[in-house]
Amino acid sequence: MAMIEPFDDEDPLAFVERADTLKVSEEIVTDALKQHFGINEDVEIKKLKLQSKVFWEAFYFDHIRDLFTRDGSRYAAVKFIQRKNDFAEERRKLTEKEIERLVDSVGEWRW
């Protein structure tokens, strides 16, 4: 199990995003947030984790990969991300270019 400690100048969100990139377990991230940042409320920890752009890119990727394997359309994949992205906070909102890159990263779409 990977251990992770926050950098001296790292804010809680940057720490969570770095942990998401390294695929550190949720338990370890939660413990680090409590110990190093004094964030003890589960609701606050969850809100913070849901602000992670890395988390949302992985979430979108999993969804569009499933759509791709079911022979879904590229258009449906783009629209799904755009629709969810409309409700995203500025910190985790993907640009149109990032959406296109993410959708195309699963392979050559038939539709």
Side-chain angles (χ1 to χ4, degrees):
M1 194 178 304
M3 297 304 290
I4 187 169
E5 296 284 325
F7 298 136
D8 291 337
D9 61 344
E10 195 169 39
D11 67 23
L13 183 56
F15 170 74
V16 168
E17 288 181 334
R18 184 167 58 90
D20 284 346
T21 301
L22 298 172
K23 299 188 184 329
V24 175
S25 77
E26 245 186 86
E27 183 180 300
I28 291 172
V29 174
T30 299
D31 289 345
L33 288 170
K34 288 177 179 180
Q35 180 181 0
H36 296 284
F37 296 105
I39 303 172
N40 294 311
E41 297 292 324
D42 290 338
V43 173
E44 292 302 316
I45 291 171
K46 185 169 182 141
K47 281 182 187 178
L48 183 62
K49 289 179 179 179
L50 287 174
Q51 291 177 7
S52 170
K53 194 171 187 177
V54 176
F55 166 82
W56 285 104
E57 283 182 355
F59 173 82
Y60 294 143
F61 180 81
D62 288 345
H63 181 80
I64 61 175
R65 184 186 58 219
D66 290 346
L67 187 61
F68 180 80
T69 59
R70 293 189 322 261
D71 254 352
S73 72
R74 182 181 185 284
Y75 175 80
V78 169
K79 282 302 188 188
F80 171 79
I81 296 173
Q82 287 173 337
R83 207 171 47 250
K84 295 290 185 188
N85 205 38
D86 285 344
F87 297 102
E89 295 176 13
E90 206 54 44
R91 172 71 180 194
R92 64 179 166 96
K93 192 170 272 205
L94 299 179
T95 66
E96 286 301 315
K97 191 173 252 184
E98 289 172 323
I99 292 171
E100 296 287 330
R101 177 192 51 80
L102 191 57
V103 169
D104 291 339
S105 72
V106 296
E108 189 70 33
W109 290 86
R110 287 183 27 170
W111 311 104

